Amino acid sequence: MSAEPAGRVLIASNRGPVSFSLGDDGKLTSRRGGGGVVAGLSAVAGRAEVLWVCAALNDADRAAARAAPGGRLDVSLSADGAGRPGPESGAGLGGPESMVRMLDIPALVFDRAYNGVANSTLWFIHHLLYDTPNRPLFGLAFRREWESFRAYNAAFADALAKGAGPAIPGATARAGTRAMVQDYHLTLVPRMLAERRPDLAIAHFSHTPWAPPEYFALLPDDVAREVLEGILGADHAGFHAQRWADAFLDCCEAVLGAQVDRVARTVRHAGHTTTVGVHPLGVDAPQLRTRAAADDVQAHVTALTELAEGRKLIVRIDRTELSKNIVRGLAAYRELLITWPQWRGRVVHLAFAYPSRHDLPEYREYTASVQRMAREIVDEFGTEDWDPLVLQVNDDYPRSLAAYRLADVLLVNPVRDGMNLVAKEAPLLSERGCAVVLSREAGAAAELAEGALLVNPYDVSATAQALHEALSMTDEERSRRAALLAQASASCPPDQWLAAQLSALETAARRQPA
Ligand code: G6P
């Protein structure tokens, strides 16, 4: 990291850098958390004293949190990746005091906050997912969920306030300790924390898109205000893309009547100024390439190469998530085979859609729709010696990396997405330089527009047309675009992403009156 943070850094995220499971023998085993966000945030661990506060997500996590002395988990935060559970403490990696604190929030409160508000309400709002003739319906049940959401956010604010150490009397946010609060789950935390600890510099980062004001206004008025005022408790609010930052400013103006300066990108509300920044997250290319060269990935490369039998591969890899638009993606593949029958027998679609949020009925139904559509395509076009589509619904990271390496075309068509790192990972690994068909509604489209074929994710015929163009592209054109894609994907890797936020927070905190 270029910016050298001093003092303590507090990180708060719903999903932490480690998770636990309970074996048949009743023993707890731990797994490191994956993904770019955890890797990005872990990058700070080598440079500063870190306290990472996260929620216990299931019974095994709760048991581990209860068993941890003083709530401190036996987890090392390493700069080279994520939380690494182990016998040793955090000493030596993130400084002697670095640690993870997993909050044992009562299961019912957690369920209402995480499933009811975060994933069924705020996620739906920011991704424009509601079937509006029927939902949302904000009644008494929602009010119970909202109370739990407040309690869950307050638990984080309390833990952060306590973990920040003794307050410096009379100090303002100019002091050394910084808190970096992540995502829509914790939208109320910045304000709650600022009230408890005015001496901290606080940043919030949204990993999702932000809804336009008309759609944001579906929320009950008081809830809409509380969400915005929650984030405005921070000194700095970050987003992956300009569009989402602009939408946030629009909402602050429309809903709160806040004073918005679009040039300086600041919001002034209730006597406090929040700066708003765009910090797109990229991929750690050397680390990804090293991982993709490992033996377990190579074994999948061999298996998938045999499966393809020399045919071109269209690859997609997603959580089975409503916003990922998998059903329309499959419909586009079907149209490709109908409109351009020359591809029949010459292409295979690998669709890896791994399970996500199965506590929510909408997600279970969506998984069923994906499977139904996949069966229909196989029935309609499959022959004795050609499987047009291979749908895998289990998570297998080495197999996903192998698919990236072999892809001729990558399809990423979310209806809306904060960033989408799949669109950035595949170009860095694909051996033939894959063409990328990308939704214009993904945050990544801002950086990948020159190299990708952008599509309207609702337009299935246009997506089919883009798939046809991608498959038909000359080698020169594909290589030209692949080079642009790889370059854009590797810029702003997690450590730089984090450093940019810390330095923006530094500047923002200095603006606050002493
Ligand atoms: C999105 C969110 C993350 C979240 C991830 C997985 O990327 O922005 O905050 O961790 O989805 O969702 P889950 O509900 O499984 O944590």
Side-chain angles (χ1 to χ4, degrees), residues 13-16 34 37-38 57 114-115 118-119 123 127 182-185 205-209 240 319 321 324 355-357 360 363 417-419:
S13 63
N14 173 66
R15 191 174 284 278
V37 174
V38 167
L57 303 180
Y114 172 70
N115 287 316
N119 287 344
W123 181 270
H127 291 84
Q182 306 300 307
D183 235 351
Y184 59 103
H185 315 89
F205 194 89
S206 295
H207 294 272
T208 60
H240 278 306
R319 290 189 295 118
E321 155 63 57
K324 300 296 181 188
S356 179
R357 301 182 187 168
L360 299 181
Y363 283 67
D417 210 330
M419 170 50 73

Side-chain angles (χ1 to χ4, degrees), residues 497-509:
W497 171 76
L498 188 69
Q501 284 177 74
L502 281 168
S503 106
L505 176 57
E506 217 75 42
T507 312

